[in-house]
Amino acid sequence: MPPLTEQVPVDGGHLTVHRLTQAPAGAPVVVALHSTSSNALAWVPVAERLDGLVHVLAPDMRGRAESAHLRSTGLADHVADVHALTIHLGLERPVLAGHDMGAFVAALAAATHPQDVGAVVLVDGGLAFPSPGTLDIDEVLHSIIGPAMERLSMTFEDEQAYLAHWGAHPALGRHLSGPAGAALAAYLLHDLSGPRGRMRSTSSLECVRADWADLVSDPATLSAIHTLQSPTTLLYARRGPLDQPVGLYTAERIAAAHLPPDLAVRELDSDHYGLLLDPAVVGTVAAALVAALGPASGRDIHTSVK
């Protein structure tokens, strides 16, 4: 059954927001933000752990999937969209969760509009990545996400050809044949559009470049994690986006960042993408979201997280 969607008015048009769970009126809310060239359905495996208990709202961020018609000039545009979403849907201090680029947006949104946010959960993002050694955004993106970047300039015969491209991915390939394979395939195909023989990713290369330029060099983006007023948790992967043995973050890099002492940090035994796909790790991410909702709701919900 496809997720229900909301159309939220934002600058330039409407942002598509997916309701990934069903929950009673008054249940707590998580706004889940996806990564660089991703889409809202990346959060489905996590949302499944919270169905019936928490409202998980996940936008297709501008320049991607069903919000591909919107353009981004940088992360401030996504922050404005999150604020608009919060106001339009009447959300009262939801938890902001973000993966990769989405974590930077979550941190920047919480720093910019602290009155909107109850807590923040950052998943392998939000803290400045190691210096790329180059100012060429395409070089940076190719070095970090590889095939995920390459597909943005490719065309595909059909859905199977697109999934075959992902099947060769060093990290995501194994997930396609694993327990989360069906959810992963649905998420990947949500990114695909166009006629047979000329199908291509919906993710705008222009937007991806603009967003990553902020992610590696914008002072407000890079300092946001150090200024948060809301309870914050950082979960990071032991392995990298291409299943490298060393992830984007290490304990040493995090220690060198001198994060606020009350910011909770935890390493998870997975790759960058597996944080939202590996069943055991997905449970930990879901539990972190539950904990961020606070003790009043957390006790009952936590026992239901598988």
Side-chain angles (χ1 to χ4, degrees), residues 93 95-96 110 117-121 228-233 262-264 291-292:
R93 296 177 63 82
V95 169
L96 292 189
V117 181
V120 181
V121 177
L228 298 180
Q229 301 176 35
S230 306
T232 303
T233 299
D262 58 346
L263 193 153

Side-chain angles (χ1 to χ4, degrees), residues 42-179:
W43 284 95
V44 165
V46 174
E48 287 177 344
R49 304 298 184 102
L50 303 174
D51 193 40
L53 304 165
V54 177
H55 295 287
V56 178
L57 306 179
D60 285 330
M61 295 164 72
R62 57 176 58 227
R64 287 87 172 169
E66 292 181 39
S67 301
H69 59 286
L70 299 170
R71 283 296 174 261
S72 166
T73 60
L75 298 194
D77 291 338
H78 300 299
V79 169
D81 290 347
V82 171
H83 181 62
L85 183 163
T86 301
I87 299 302
H88 181 76
L89 298 180
L91 306 183
E92 185 176 349
R93 296 177 63 82
V95 169
L96 292 189
H99 177 234
D100 186 271
M101 182 196 78
F104 288 88
V105 175
L108 187 59
T112 306
H113 302 287
Q115 73 283 355
D116 287 356
V117 181
V120 181
V121 177
L122 309 173
V123 183
D124 227 28
L127 175 64
F129 294 143
S131 173
T134 176
L135 295 179
D136 186 309
I137 295 301
D138 283 1
E139 282 188 35
V140 175
L141 286 163
H142 278 289
S143 69
I144 294 178
I145 62 175
M149 176 66 174
E150 292 161 8
R151 85 186 195 285
L152 301 186
S153 57
M154 298 173 64
T155 58
F156 299 88
E157 178 65 26
D158 54 21
E159 291 90 346
Q160 291 308 309
Y162 193 60
L163 292 178
H165 171 78
W166 284 109
H169 190 284
L172 282 173
R174 68 180 180 84
H175 293 298
L176 269 173
S177 58

Side-chain angles (χ1 to χ4, degrees), residues 206-226:
E206 172 192 0
C207 294
V208 168
R209 285 172 173 152
D211 293 338
W212 260 79
D214 275 359
L215 194 149
V216 299
S217 62
D218 176 57
T221 297
L222 299 179
S223 65
I225 193 172
H226 297 277

